[in-house]
């Protein structure tokens, strides 16, 4: 079986993290997130790693060039030889171009876009409650602790995070849509975007994702530009 190179997109609250872990487990490929990748590079102790650490410690944004080095280094690791699931990269069409060049001639096989309507996402996030003592998370409509305000684990106070209010959430979603739309279009134009409905039972969504990916792997050569 050829190596499986995937990217996953999804706005906050779409369940991207959950599905990324499931997909990586299912296919036995590493789930590579931008944050983990940067931390690993910084901890590597190489000259390049020290540069990355300096940038991160200073709180500056990591430039495209540095990020390209981090991605190239990570994807060259032995555990990524059979494939990988990238999460958080690329973020721009320019980075997507870079990735396809790095992975030439095959490139990525699919960029998964987990789609959840905005109102559903807003409900999920604004219904989230967090214990101020132990950090346990609860959901309105599912957990008694979210309603009572008392943590079932530790008895601590259960609250809504200030950035989980509807106003804050809608602002974040609008920013995400604005910055991600050109990127999704980039993959769509190359017939690489796989839109998947992210509403429903996580098991069903995971099964649908696997079916769509397997379908792409088994057929349709010549997809893309
Ligand atoms: Zn607690």
């Amino acid at each position: 079986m050829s190596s499986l190179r995937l990217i996953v997109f999804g706005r906050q609250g779409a369940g991207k993290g959950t599905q990324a872990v499931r997909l990586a487990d299912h296919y036995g490929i590493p789930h590579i997130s931008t944050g983990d990748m940067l931390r690993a590079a910084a901890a590597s102790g190489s000259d390049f790693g020290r540069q990355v650490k300096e940038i991160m410690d200073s709180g500056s944004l990591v430039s495209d060039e540095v990020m390209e080095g981090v991605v190239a280094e990570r994807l060259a690791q032995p555990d990524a030889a059979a494939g990988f699931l990238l999460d958080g990269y690329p973020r721009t069409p320019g980075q997507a171009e870079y990735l396809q060049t790095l992975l030439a001639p095959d490139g990525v096989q699919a960029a998964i876009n987990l789609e959840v309507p905005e109102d559903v996402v807003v409900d999920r996030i604004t219904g989230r409650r967090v214990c101020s003592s132990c950090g346990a998370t609860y959901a309105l409509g599912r957990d008694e602790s979210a309603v009572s305000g008392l943590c079932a684990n530790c008895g601590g106070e259960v609250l809504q995070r200030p950035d989980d209010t509807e106003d804050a959430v809608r602002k974040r979603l609008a920013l995400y849509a604005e910055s991600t739309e050109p990127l999704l279009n980039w993959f769509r134009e190359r017939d690489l975007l796989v839109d998947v409905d992210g509403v429903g039972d996580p098991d069903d969504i995971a099964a649908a994702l696997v079916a769509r990916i397997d379908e792409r792997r088994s057929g349709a050569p010549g997809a893309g530009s």
Side-chain angles (χ1 to χ4, degrees), residues 7-212:
I7 306 172
V8 61
F9 295 115
R11 52 190 173 191
Q12 190 197 14
K16 179 180 66 142
T18 305
Q19 294 301 330
V21 168
R22 284 173 182 241
L23 277 182
D25 279 354
H26 178 84
Y27 290 110
I29 54 177
H31 169 208
I32 301 178
S33 79
T34 310
D36 290 346
M37 211 165 11
L38 284 167
R39 281 186 288 276
S44 71
S46 68
D47 285 346
F48 179 64
R50 272 191 289 275
Q51 282 181 46
V52 173
K53 187 171 187 316
E54 267 174 37
I55 295 165
M56 289 173 71
D57 288 349
S58 73
S60 314
L61 278 177
V62 178
S63 71
D64 268 8
E65 289 73 19
V66 169
M67 202 59 221
E68 286 173 3
V70 170
V71 169
E73 202 167 82
R74 179 64 187 87
L75 297 187
Q77 297 298 309
D79 71 327
F84 49 81
L85 176 69
L86 262 183
D87 179 357
Y89 189 92
R91 285 187 193 275
T92 64
Q95 292 179 348
E97 298 270 5
Y98 168 76
L99 186 65
Q100 290 300 68
T101 307
L102 179 72
L103 300 173
D106 299 325
V108 298
Q109 281 139 337
I112 295 149
N113 181 32
L114 211 50
E115 288 191 303
V116 176
E118 175 162 332
D119 286 341
V120 175
V121 173
V122 168
D123 280 352
R124 281 185 191 172
I125 302 173
T126 58
R128 209 158 54 180
R129 299 292 181 271
V130 183
C131 173
S132 53
S133 300
C134 75
T137 57
Y138 299 102
L140 281 181
R142 192 188 67 198
D143 304 309
E144 173 55 26
S145 290
V147 183
S148 68
L150 275 182
C151 179
N153 276 351
C154 75
E157 196 180 0
V158 173
L159 301 166
Q160 184 180 47
R161 285 201 198 100
D163 58 353
D164 282 351
T165 60
E166 175 162 354
D167 195 39
V169 172
R170 288 206 189 268
K171 272 187 192 138
R172 282 205 299 280
L173 291 177
L175 272 177
Y176 175 83
E178 195 184 328
S179 63
T180 310
E181 202 49 43
L183 185 59
L184 296 182
N185 285 337
W186 192 94
F187 284 102
R188 191 174 283 125
E189 283 160 10
R190 287 157 183 79
D191 196 25
L192 291 171
L193 197 71
V194 176
D195 291 306
V196 175
D197 185 355
V199 181
D201 182 80
D203 289 339
D204 296 340
I205 298 164
L209 276 167
V210 166
R212 294 288 299 281

